Amino acid sequence: MSEFVIAAPKIHTVPVSGGGEFPVRRVYCIGRNYAAHSIEMGGDPDRDPPFFFQKNPNNLCASDQFIYPPKTGDVHYEIEMAVALKKGGINIPVSRALDHVYGYAVCLDMTRRDLQGAAKAKGRPWEIGKAFENSGPIMPIQPVADVGHLDHGRVELMVNGETKQVGDLNQMIWKVPEMITYLSEYFELGAGDVIMSGTPSGVGPVVRGDEISASIQGLNPLKIKVI
Ligand code: MN
């Protein structure tokens, strides 16, 4: 093989609870996967086909600090569950989908809502609102061997001790196996892919100094300060 002509970028990784690093290949995020959140974002709560957008792999950051991003005055939190894949494929049947999961973690889909809203209004892509630096705070991934598969459990996000978002994993319109199957019909999934599984209602803004606590029953909670 010939040499790289510039320094090769590092493979981005997220720590694994208990040791090791999970290399991130792609990040898929589902939109409007809880009926109440779909309604608050102006959508239809019916079970329309799901839609996905992407973040960049190196937007996922295991840190206790969230750096308030530039070019926005309206950054929102969205608590989500990250699903980390250990193998990929195409046309994965629902019955086999969970065999592809390495583990789970609490994460945040931080969003420049003002920029996302402006993009939406013009029918433009969402990356400017979604795929910015540090936009995916995430906890160390917990292997299925330790936590099993999660299909129910309380989801809660607090800002400065005040509850802002509450839901349950069992309220997801598209369940984890269904999301894997759907994505695998449109993309070739691979080991290292991470799926962010959508947020309950109650999204809202943060400012510098705020402390966000995000928890999903059965997983280690995420605490992060906005700086
Ligand atoms: Mn989201």
Side-chain angles (χ1 to χ4, degrees):
M1 189 179 100
S2 57
E3 308 240 323
F4 292 121
V5 297
I6 58 168
K10 261 182 56 188
I11 292 175
H12 185 71
T13 65
V14 170
V16 172
S17 173
E21 294 286 326
F22 182 88
V24 183
R25 176 179 176 266
R26 294 182 186 171
V27 181
Y28 295 100
C29 311
I30 191 169
R32 299 183 182 173
N33 201 24
Y34 288 76
H37 175 62
S38 180
I39 292 166
E40 79 178 348
M41 297 308 290
D44 183 333
D46 290 341
R47 203 168 188 265
D48 286 336
F51 70 92
F52 291 84
F53 58 91
Q54 284 174 264
K55 287 185 188 272
N56 299 296
N58 63 2
N59 296 156
L60 297 185
C61 296
S63 169
D64 56 5
Q65 294 187 322
F66 172 74
I67 301 163
Y68 199 92
K71 300 288 188 184
T72 179
D74 194 24
V75 173
H76 281 206
Y77 50 76
E78 297 187 359
I79 182 174
E80 315 221 349
M81 183 170 73
V83 182
L85 302 190
K86 65 181 178 187
K87 59 179 178 175
I90 59 169
N91 299 323
I92 299 167
V94 170
S95 61
R96 305 298 305 274
L98 290 180
D99 299 344
H100 295 70
V101 178
Y102 173 77
Y104 300 92
V106 175
C107 67
L108 300 176
D109 170 16
M110 299 302 289
T111 302
R112 291 193 280 214
R113 193 72 75 200
D114 43 2
L115 301 188
Q116 183 202 22
K120 262 189 205 173
K122 294 193 169 179
R124 291 177 178 167
W126 286 10
E127 282 85 355
I128 202 165
K130 289 288 195 178
F132 55 91
E133 270 49 64
N134 306 299
S135 59
I138 188 168
M139 283 298 287
I141 293 166
Q142 295 180 258
V144 168
D146 296 343
V147 295
H149 290 290
L150 288 84
D151 60 2
H152 67 283
R154 182 178 169 88
V155 177
E156 180 174 21
L157 182 138
M158 297 193 293
V159 178
N160 303 325
E162 186 184 332
T163 297
K164 300 289 189 181
Q165 290 189 272
V166 181
D168 193 292
L169 292 177
N170 68 13
Q171 297 167 339
M172 290 197 299
I173 297 168
W174 295 87
K175 311 301 184 192
V176 172
E178 294 171 325
M179 285 190 277
I180 292 170
T181 295
Y182 187 89
L183 281 167
S184 77
E185 292 171 355
Y186 288 86
F187 303 99
E188 181 168 0
L189 295 178
D193 289 354
V194 174
I195 301 168
M196 293 171 61
S197 54
T199 198
S201 60
V203 300
V206 287
V207 296
R208 287 186 183 85
D210 281 348
E211 295 191 336
I212 303 172
S213 302
S215 62
I216 295 174
Q217 189 182 344
L219 294 174
N220 293 326
L222 181 154
K223 288 185 195 305
I224 196 165
K225 179 160 186 163
V226 182
I227 63 168

